[in-house]
Amino acid sequence: QVQLVESGGGLVQAGDSLTLSCVASDGTVSTYVMGWFRQAPGKEREFVAAVSWDGGSRYYGDSVKGRFTISRNRADNTIDLRMTNLKPEDTAVYYCAAGKYFGPFHDFEYRGQGTQVTVSS
């Protein structure tokens, strides 16, 4: 069973930057789509960003376009999410996911436990 472990969350101020990382326990995900979702208290889980297996295609949710950048390193089975110009509405638990195809969070074969990001105003 592949495990995904997120790191890099924390408490920051509005306008700050933060980078989240997700590492997979083995190379099974090397040919998978990988991405990030988030869930704020009282809200539904939201798509944030995804990257194709080769890193050649990247997708972003409308609320983060232009501010967040997803990257992938297949050599060490990691993806990063560089978040800039953070806003209080970015406050959420951020989840890493890996799957054969892009789709809703629950359709991804592997999902992490999440890391908290809190943005103060």
Side-chain angles (χ1 to χ4, degrees):
Q1 179 76 3
V2 176
Q3 293 186 336
L4 302 178
V5 179
E6 304 97 335
S7 62
L11 172 63
V12 297
Q13 294 186 333
D16 284 352
S17 299
L18 197 64
T19 298
L20 304 182
S21 295
C22 171
V23 57
S25 58
D26 66 56
T28 300
V29 302
S30 64
T31 59
Y32 283 23
V33 174
M34 294 188 71
W36 294 92
F37 292 78
R38 68 185 183 186
Q39 188 167 20
K43 295 188 177 181
E44 294 188 354
R45 189 170 280 118
E46 175 188 19
F47 167 68
V48 176
V51 59
S52 60
W53 70 274
D54 61 353
S57 298
R58 304 177 188 185
Y59 310 92
Y60 297 95
D62 289 341
S63 61
V64 307
K65 283 180 182 177
R67 299 188 299 122
F68 291 12
T69 303
I70 190 170
S71 60
R72 179 168 193 158
N73 186 330
R74 295 182 69 213
D76 58 11
N77 304 317
T78 61
I79 60 170
D80 289 338
L81 184 69
R82 175 66 174 168
M83 306 183 292
T84 64
N85 190 24
L86 283 161
K87 305 175 181 180
E89 50 265 41
D90 294 317
T91 295
V93 177
Y94 284 71
Y95 299 90
C96 176
K100 294 180 181 178
Y101 308 103
F102 177 78
F105 182 72
H106 60 263
D107 284 347
F108 279 74
E109 282 88 343
Y110 306 110
R111 303 181 292 273
Q113 294 299 306
T115 185
Q116 176 71 47
V117 173
T118 303
V119 184
S120 63
S121 57

